[in-house]
Amino acid sequence: MAYNHQPQYVATYYSIDVECVATGVEHNARGVAQIALVDQFERCLLNVYVKQAEGAVVSSYLTPLTGLTADVIAEHGVSLDVAVGYVRSALPPHAILVGQNIAKDVQWLGLEEGKDFTSMVDLAGVWRVWNPKFKSWSVFGQDHLVSTLLGTEVDTQHNAAVDALKSVRLFNYYHYMSAGDGGGEPALDAAKQRLLESPPAPSFAKLNPTWEGCCMGNRKTCTCGAPFFG
């Protein structure tokens, strides 16, 4: 567990990211296994691994996607209660959380808006684009945002600390583009048009409808029949 306080700059925006292991074959059967917290100045304030509750079964560590292994969790993992305590200690109540589908990360950790933090900004909404062809909003995954907007190569294997850093950079880039120095509304519109015109790379779930017998939750190729939420 890495735990780092650097108080010389007071941050307002923070990103939390959670990686999960599969605790059953259904795509909703997931358990928190890594939590990271990064502030707007790209400082990683927390990176902690989480053991599943005693007696809980891990059906797959989903290693190609999460980078997690049994050895890593056994050596470095703490209980979820302890890990969430670390999060609450590092996260100031004035914090505004930013991230891709950030509400899900908040839900995983049982954090309370108005108590543990002030509010949330979902990057999927910030970078959504009106699609005239389908007359609806198009939203994009973090990998597509990073590769198209930041020009950064994206690894299939995820890591909570790296993903939280990516979210901070995407949020900071949006603020830069929105300001006059970044080109303002015309530049922002051009960036969003690139998102629409660039074909996203297939996700891990699309390439692998199941992994080690666990459904990966692609709506078109779901094998478990469990419900989808949101």
Side-chain angles (χ1 to χ4, degrees):
M1 187 271 293
Y3 191 50
N4 183 25
H5 282 297
Q6 297 172 303
Q8 63 267 36
Y9 301 107
V10 178
T12 298
Y13 299 99
Y14 296 76
S15 181
I16 287 178
D17 194 87
V18 172
E19 292 292 334
C20 293
V21 295
T23 55
V25 298
E26 295 184 346
H27 58 250
N28 292 324
R30 298 291 187 266
V32 175
Q34 186 189 11
I35 308 166
L37 176 67
V38 175
D39 73 8
Q40 71 190 77
F41 303 110
E42 301 189 2
R43 299 174 297 191
C44 185
L45 305 179
L46 178 70
N47 183 20
V48 59
Y49 294 97
V50 181
K51 293 179 179 178
Q52 301 307 293
E54 187 174 352
V57 174
V58 176
S59 300
S60 175
Y61 287 88
L62 307 175
T63 304
L65 178 64
T66 66
L68 300 170
T69 65
D71 289 343
V72 168
I73 300 300
E75 182 176 355
H76 302 289
V78 299
S79 73
L80 181 60
D81 285 345
V82 169
V84 172
Y86 291 155
V87 174
R88 287 195 165 104
S89 294
L91 187 66
H94 71 261
I96 299 173
L97 298 182
V98 302
Q100 195 79 12
N101 194 18
I102 185 66
K104 186 63 178 178
D105 297 286
V106 167
Q107 181 184 352
W108 278 120
L109 303 182
L111 301 178
E112 296 181 47
E113 188 170 5
K115 179 181 177 182
D116 296 311
F117 62 95
T118 295
S119 60
M120 294 177 279
V121 177
D122 192 337
L123 292 173
V126 166
W127 287 108
R128 70 176 185 169
V129 183
W130 180 255
N131 190 324
K133 180 179 178 181
F134 299 106
K135 295 181 171 56
S136 63
W137 291 101
S138 291
V139 296
F140 308 96
Q142 186 188 63
D143 287 350
H144 185 61
L145 294 175
V146 168
S147 61
T148 304
L149 298 174
L150 304 182
T152 304
E153 290 188 11
V154 175
D155 196 336
T156 301
Q157 195 171 81
H158 285 235
N159 176 289
V162 174
D163 285 353
L165 176 60
K166 291 175 182 176
S167 289
V168 165
R169 288 180 175 174
L170 287 166
F171 181 75
N172 287 342
Y173 186 62
Y174 176 81
H175 268 275
Y176 167 74
M177 294 286 284
S178 300
D181 290 345
E185 199 66 30
L188 197 56
D189 289 342
K192 290 185 174 183
Q193 190 61 32
R194 291 202 309 275
L195 289 172
L196 198 60
E197 294 173 351
S198 304
S203 67
F204 182 86
K206 188 171 184 178
L207 294 173
N208 303 276
T210 64
W211 187 263
E212 295 182 336
C214 301
C215 180
M216 295 308 299
N218 183 286
R219 289 178 181 269
K220 293 182 179 180
T221 58
C222 173
T223 60
C224 70
F228 289 88
F229 304 107

